[in-house]
Amino acid sequence: MDVATPIDIKVAVEGLGGVPQIFYNMLGKFEDMTLNEHMQKIIPEFEANKYNDMMLTAHSLKGACGYIGASRLHYVCWFIQDHFVNDRFEKQVKYYPSLVEAAIELKVHSRKIIADNEGR
């Protein structure tokens, strides 16, 4: 996935069988059904230094990000997971602000993509 953009639409559509409407449907549901829940879950995990729980939540979110091409958020989640696996817990929690920023950026970008698509 291309991290030059918050959402790599081309890769996502290709991964979903080349059907753009499937991508737009998934993107439209992603925020309410996945992103918000995972972000609410990871806040107390971060605050309590529950490294394993934080890694598991990031891992789950990372997988969902792959389906919609959420490249930046996907890779932040990957780094959180990688730092946990390699016992670099200080570095793991340092990615939390980047996770929040990438989630916000994704929301803004996805809403614009959805609005632009509704006009078609």
Side-chain angles (χ1 to χ4, degrees):
M1 283 186 284
D2 182 7
V3 294
T5 181
I7 301 174
D8 189 333
I9 298 171
K10 181 181 177 196
V11 167
V13 170
E14 287 173 4
L16 295 168
V19 183
Q21 198 54 45
I22 294 173
F23 164 75
Y24 292 115
N25 288 340
M26 288 183 73
L27 185 62
K29 295 175 182 175
F30 181 78
E31 184 176 332
D32 289 333
M33 294 182 67
T34 303
L35 183 61
N36 292 341
E37 176 185 325
H38 282 75
M39 293 306 294
Q40 289 172 357
K41 185 175 179 187
I42 206 165
I43 293 167
E45 296 168 352
F46 166 75
E47 290 173 344
N49 290 324
K50 292 184 176 181
Y51 307 118
N52 186 60
D53 293 343
M54 190 176 169
M55 180 276 298
L56 292 172
T57 300
H59 174 74
S60 177
L61 182 56
K62 178 185 70 145
C65 287
Y67 285 107
I68 61 157
S71 53
R72 292 181 187 164
L73 186 56
H74 174 90
Y75 285 111
V76 170
C77 290
W78 182 88
F79 281 113
I80 289 171
Q81 182 179 348
D82 182 65
H83 288 310
F84 174 82
V85 169
N86 292 294
D87 296 324
R88 297 185 302 252
F89 305 120
E90 269 187 38
K91 288 185 178 184
Q92 178 187 6
V93 296
K94 285 185 179 181
Y95 270 88
Y96 178 76
S98 297
L99 179 76
V100 173
E101 289 172 9
I104 293 168
E105 180 182 51
L106 175 65
K107 284 184 175 192
V108 170
H109 199 72
S110 68
R111 289 174 185 181
K112 182 179 182 332
I113 290 170
I114 292 165
D116 290 347
N117 183 59
E118 287 175 351
R120 293 181 185 175

